[in-house]
Amino acid sequence: MLPYLFVFAISIFSTYLAQLCYNRNNKFLFVLFSAVAILTPALLAGFRDSGIGTDTKVYVDDIWNQFKHINSWGQFYKYYIDEDFDDIEFVYLVLNYIASLFGRDVGLIYFLSNFVVVLLIYLAAFDNRERVSMWFIMFVFLFGYYNQSLNLVRQSIALAMGVYFFKYLENKQWIKLIISLIIIKYTHNTGIFYIGFVGAYLLAVGKYKLKPLILLITLFCSVFIFLYFDFIVGFFVLSGILPQKFLYYLSGDEVDYTSLFIFHFIISMILLIIYIYNSKSDQKEELLSYAFLNLLGSILILTSLVSIWSFRVAFYFLFLSECLFLPRAFYIMKEKYKLEYLLMLVVTIFLIVTVWYKVIIVNNDNDTYPYNSEFLESF
C-alpha cells in the first residue's frame, strides 16, 4: 500500500505546485513539477513485476514477447496484416512497437502504456486549469482509476483519450471528434461505447422544453440495456463493429458490483447537491448535465448483474464524469459557498480514499496489491 500512497502524494502535490507556478508565470518550475507529477505514477507502473494487474499475464506479456522478434516497422505491419496479434487493436500495438525500439524489457511497455494514460489525464487537467483545481483531477484519477489502469491496460488508454478528447465534443469540433472516436475505437474495441456517452452528453446539454423530465425518463429507459443486453452486443458483433470475443459479454457469468454502484451513486448525489446549491446560477444547466451523466453511468455499472464483463461499458461515462466533471462542479461550488465546498470536499476525499482502500487493498480487485518490483528491491 505504501508505494501507491507515496507516489500518489508526490504526483498530487506536484500537480498542485505546477498549477501554482503556472499562475505565477514560472514556466520552468511548472514544467519541472508537471514532469514529476506525470512520471512518478508511470515509473511505478513501469517498474512493477508481471502479475501486478491481471491483464499483464492475460495479454500484455504475450504481445510483448512477439515484439522481441520484430526488428522493423515493415515486419511489424506484416504481422498485423497477417493477424498474428489476433484481435489486439492497432494503436496499442503501435505503442508496443515504439517501446520495443528502446529495448526488450517488458517494463518498457508497462511504463509507456501507463505514461500515455497519466499524460492524457494531466493534459486534460491543464486544458481545464481555469475551471478546476488540477490537483483534484489527479487525485480522483489516482485513487479512483490508477490501479485499474495497471490491469485494464488498453481500455484505460482509451478511457484517458475519452477524457482528453472531450474538449472536441464540448467545443463542437466535429471533425476532430470523429477522428478522436476512430482513434479510441482502434485503441480498444469497447471504445465504440464512447458514442453512447456522446449521445447522452448532447441530450444532457441540449436546450429544450421539459428537459429535467426527459432526462429522468432517459434514466428509467436505461433499464432496457439489461433487458436487451444480449441483443445489443450480438448486433455489434454480427455487424463487425466488435470482434467475436465480445460474445463473452453475453449474459451468463455475473458479478455483484452493487457496492460500487452505491459509491458512484453517492458521487452522483454529491453532484446533484452542488446543482441544487447553484440552481439559480448561470452554471445550473452544466451542473445538471454532470449529475445526469454520472447517474447514468452508475446505473450502467449494474449491467454486471447480467454479465461479468459488461460493466466496462459504464466506465466510458464514469471515468470522464468523475475525473473531469466532479472537479469542475467543486470549482463552481468554491466560488460562492466556500464553507460548504470545504465540507463536501473533505467528505468526497474521505469517501474516495476509503473505497480505494476497500477495493484495491482489501478486495485486491485488479490484482495490483501488494505491489512488487524486483527492480526496486535490487537497490
Side-chain angles (χ1 to χ4, degrees):
M1 181 173 71
L2 289 179
Y4 293 121
L5 293 178
F6 180 70
V7 167
F8 291 178
I10 291 176
S11 182
I12 293 167
F13 187 57
S14 295
T15 303
Y16 168 78
L17 293 176
Q19 186 172 17
L20 192 65
C21 292
Y22 185 87
N23 292 338
R24 295 179 179 179
N25 294 317
N26 192 327
K27 300 299 175 63
F28 173 78
L29 287 180
F30 164 74
V31 172
L32 177 63
F33 286 124
S34 295
V36 173
I38 296 166
L39 287 173
T40 46
L43 287 171
L44 187 70
F47 290 145
R48 76 188 191 272
D49 291 343
S50 177
I52 306 300
T54 308
D55 282 355
T56 56
K57 290 186 177 293
V58 173
Y59 69 84
V60 177
D61 291 1
D62 290 342
I63 295 299
W64 179 255
N65 287 333
Q66 289 182 267
F67 275 89
K68 290 181 179 179
H69 308 289
I70 294 175
N71 299 309
S72 67
W73 175 266
Q75 188 180 6
F76 155 64
Y77 194 68
K78 185 178 185 303
Y79 269 56
Y80 178 72
I81 294 297
D82 293 341
E83 298 183 350
D84 290 335
F85 300 111
D86 295 324
D87 54 11
I88 299 297
E89 298 82 0
F90 185 71
V91 173
Y92 177 72
L93 293 173
V94 170
L95 286 179
N96 274 263
Y97 176 75
I98 294 171
S100 70
L101 297 177
F102 297 92
R104 291 295 183 259
D105 191 292
V106 69
L108 289 168
I109 189 57
Y110 291 172
F111 166 78
L112 184 59
S113 56
N114 197 260
F115 173 79
V116 171
V117 173
V118 181
L119 177 64
L120 288 169
I121 297 298
Y122 191 86
L123 289 175
F126 180 74
D127 285 345
N128 287 269
R129 63 191 178 277
E130 295 182 359
R131 303 176 66 180
V132 300
S133 297
M134 288 173 58
W135 70 265
F136 194 36
I137 286 184
M138 292 300 288
F139 168 82
V140 174
F141 163 69
L142 291 170
F143 279 97
Y145 296 97
Y146 175 80
N147 290 83
Q148 173 186 294
S149 73
L150 303 184
N151 175 26
L152 309 179
V153 178
R154 289 174 297 153
Q155 186 175 6
S156 293
I157 298 172
L159 290 168
M161 287 178 174
V163 176
Y164 179 70
F165 292 148
F166 171 71
K167 60 184 179 181
Y168 302 134
L169 172 59
E170 187 172 39
N171 296 325
K172 299 180 180 180
Q173 296 174 285
W174 304 120
I175 294 178
K176 290 183 178 180
L177 176 63
I178 292 172
I179 294 173
S180 300
L181 290 172
I182 294 171
I183 294 173
I184 291 172
K185 169 64 171 60
Y186 281 96
T187 300
H188 195 258
N189 283 306
T190 60
I192 191 67
F193 295 118
Y194 188 67
I195 295 176
F197 171 82
V198 172
Y201 173 79
L202 293 176
L203 179 68
V205 300
K207 296 181 179 180
Y208 48 86
K209 294 181 179 179
L210 303 176
K211 180 176 178 179
L213 178 61
I214 292 175
L215 295 182
L216 186 62
I217 292 173
T218 302
L219 291 174
F220 279 109
C221 288
S222 63
V223 73
F224 284 101
I225 291 179
F226 300 98
L227 299 177
Y228 297 101
F229 186 78
D230 286 0
F231 173 80
I232 294 170
V233 174
F235 172 78
F236 279 124
V237 171
L238 291 175
S239 61
I241 297 174
L242 294 175
Q244 289 189 353
K245 71 176 183 180
F246 278 83
L247 293 176
Y248 286 113
Y249 279 59
L250 297 181
S251 58
D253 293 334
E254 58 188 51
V255 62
D256 187 358
Y257 277 130
T258 306
S259 58
L260 277 182
F261 161 75
I262 293 172
F263 163 69
H264 293 294
F265 180 80
I266 292 173
I267 295 296
S268 302
M269 292 303 100
I270 290 173
L271 285 167
L272 187 60
I273 290 171
I274 295 175
Y275 162 73
I276 293 172
Y277 265 100
N278 294 271
S279 59
K280 295 182 179 180
S281 71
D282 295 335
Q283 295 102 339
K284 64 178 182 180
E285 294 296 322
E286 176 185 351
L287 291 170
L288 179 62
S289 69
Y290 295 166
F292 165 75
L293 291 166
N294 204 85
L295 187 55
L296 181 57
S298 301
I299 294 173
L300 290 175
I301 209 168
L302 287 178
T303 54
S304 61
L305 296 173
V306 178
S307 167
I308 192 172
W309 303 114
S310 61
F311 69 93
R312 292 188 179 195
V313 177
F315 288 151
Y316 287 96
F317 289 79
L318 296 173
F319 194 101
L320 196 154
S321 177
E322 292 171 358
C323 286
L324 185 58
F325 296 163
L326 183 65
R328 280 186 179 183
F330 268 98
Y331 200 77
I332 293 173
M333 184 79 171
K334 180 181 179 181
E335 294 177 352
K336 295 182 179 179
Y337 305 97
K338 291 188 177 181
L339 177 60
E340 292 85 348
Y341 156 78
L342 287 173
L343 290 173
M344 292 182 64
L345 182 65
V346 170
V347 170
T348 303
I349 288 174
F350 177 78
L351 175 64
I352 292 174
V353 173
T354 300
V355 171
W356 174 82
Y357 180 81
K358 177 66 166 63
V359 172
I360 301 303
I361 306 303
V362 177
N363 296 347
N364 194 23
D365 284 9
N366 300 301
D367 289 330
T368 60
Y369 179 79
Y371 178 86
N372 294 310
S373 171
E374 289 186 7
F375 176 81
L376 294 178
E377 290 173 0
S378 64
F379 287 92

